[in-house]
Amino acid sequence: MIKDGVIKMQEMANVYFYGKRYSVPADLTIMTAMEYAGYQLLRGCGCRYGFCGACAIIYRVAGSNTLQSCLACQTQVQDGMYVATLPYFPTVKKVYDMETVKPEEQLMMQLYPEIYACIGCNACTKACSKELNVMQYIAYAQRNELEKCANESFDCVSCGICASRCPAGISHPMVGLLARRLVGKYIQPEAKHMKVKAASVRNGELDAIMAELLAKPLDEIKELYNARDIEK
């Protein structure tokens, strides 16, 4: 590595993927370090054209008894880190029709009765890779406080780490998702401007603009994105 005209040695870290030791650049995330070592995360991670939350990781650092959980895309490697990916954890997603379900008090009891078996251990919150107060939004769901549940769970990426640590078998991401869907459909004010924009898309009014945008070089598209006006 060359910095300020001086050649410096790249700092390396010894990490263990599935028990095998690798020497990787110390400034990499766990995801890029695994790719550097020859592994491929096959579940289709969001930053690899899949879905966010697919790179759930559990790890322990040498000398510590604490088992940690995180997302591999946002956590830097540490020397002496022992890593294993969390396999797909089958959280229970109940089947329901958003055109017929209503935000009624008994709905959570009907679809996700296990939330009432919560023992308050807080393992879900401690495990959350996004540092969400998971146990709190489950408590809101128990009380049918759907707006609070939706807001508290808003940044959930459904990695499933919380559900994998829950002794009550709660599917926390699916409970939060149901709350957000109910709030969006029945409780939040109607977004009339979105209906107008959706109609414009269906009518082909934006086709020419999209064609012009797609013809631009990627760097120019990134520049336009970064300089866009963001709604307050």
Side-chain angles (χ1 to χ4, degrees):
M1 179 176 64
I2 301 177
K3 185 176 182 181
D4 299 328
V6 179
I7 298 177
K8 296 185 177 181
M9 294 296 293
Q10 171 74 61
E11 183 180 354
M12 306 295 283
N14 290 319
V15 296
Y16 297 79
F17 298 134
Y18 305 105
K20 186 176 180 180
R21 184 173 68 85
Y22 296 90
S23 180
V24 302
D27 59 352
L28 298 182
T29 63
I30 295 174
M31 178 182 285
T32 52
M34 293 186 75
E35 292 171 337
Y36 179 91
Y39 289 92
Q40 184 179 9
L41 297 175
L42 297 175
R43 277 186 58 205
C45 302
C47 43
R48 300 296 187 271
Y49 307 103
F51 64 94
C52 187
C55 65
I57 292 291
I58 52 175
Y59 70 91
R60 179 177 281 127
V61 178
S64 172
N65 292 327
T66 304
L67 185 65
Q68 305 280 355
S69 56
C70 68
L71 295 180
C73 65
Q74 64 184 28
T75 306
Q76 189 171 341
V77 295
Q78 300 178 48
D79 193 63
M81 177 183 277
Y82 288 78
V83 175
T85 55
L86 186 70
Y88 173 70
F89 192 82
T91 52
V92 176
K93 181 181 180 182
K94 296 297 177 65
V95 177
Y96 49 84
D97 182 357
M98 285 304 301
E99 298 303 320
T100 59
V101 295
K102 303 294 181 183
E104 299 169 344
E105 190 168 353
Q106 68 271 26
L107 182 62
M108 284 292 180
M109 172 64 80
Q110 292 171 351
L111 293 176
Y112 295 105
E114 65 272 14
I115 65 174
Y116 299 96
C118 173
I119 62 174
C121 66
N122 213 29
C124 53
T125 300
K126 293 176 181 177
C128 180
S129 58
K130 302 293 289 183
E131 299 183 349
L132 302 181
N133 194 341
V134 182
M135 191 176 75
Q136 180 62 67
Y137 80 66
I138 292 300
Y140 287 143
Q142 291 171 339
R143 300 194 293 267
N144 202 44
E145 297 182 56
L146 298 177
E147 288 184 271
K148 291 182 178 180
C149 179
N151 289 333
E152 197 72 44
S153 67
F154 188 81
D155 288 329
C156 174
V157 295
S158 298
C159 69
I161 294 176
C162 55
S164 71
R165 304 302 298 274
C166 179
I170 298 172
S171 297
H172 313 74
M174 298 300 104
V175 173
L177 177 62
L178 175 58
R180 296 193 298 276
R181 285 176 169 174
L182 290 169
V183 169
K185 183 172 179 61
Y186 296 107
I187 299 174
Q188 291 281 15
E190 183 182 14
K192 295 182 179 179
H193 66 290
M194 290 298 294
K195 295 184 69 174
V196 173
K197 186 62 69 175
S200 298
V201 173
R202 286 194 296 268
N203 295 335
E205 297 174 23
L206 303 181
D207 290 354
I209 296 175
M210 287 300 300
E212 180 183 351
L213 182 63
L214 292 172
K216 294 181 181 295
L218 182 58
D219 288 342
E220 187 175 344
I221 294 175
K222 289 181 178 179
E223 185 177 343
L224 288 170
Y225 177 82
N226 292 329
R228 74 195 187 282
D229 292 329
I230 301 177
E231 294 182 1
K232 301 296 182 183

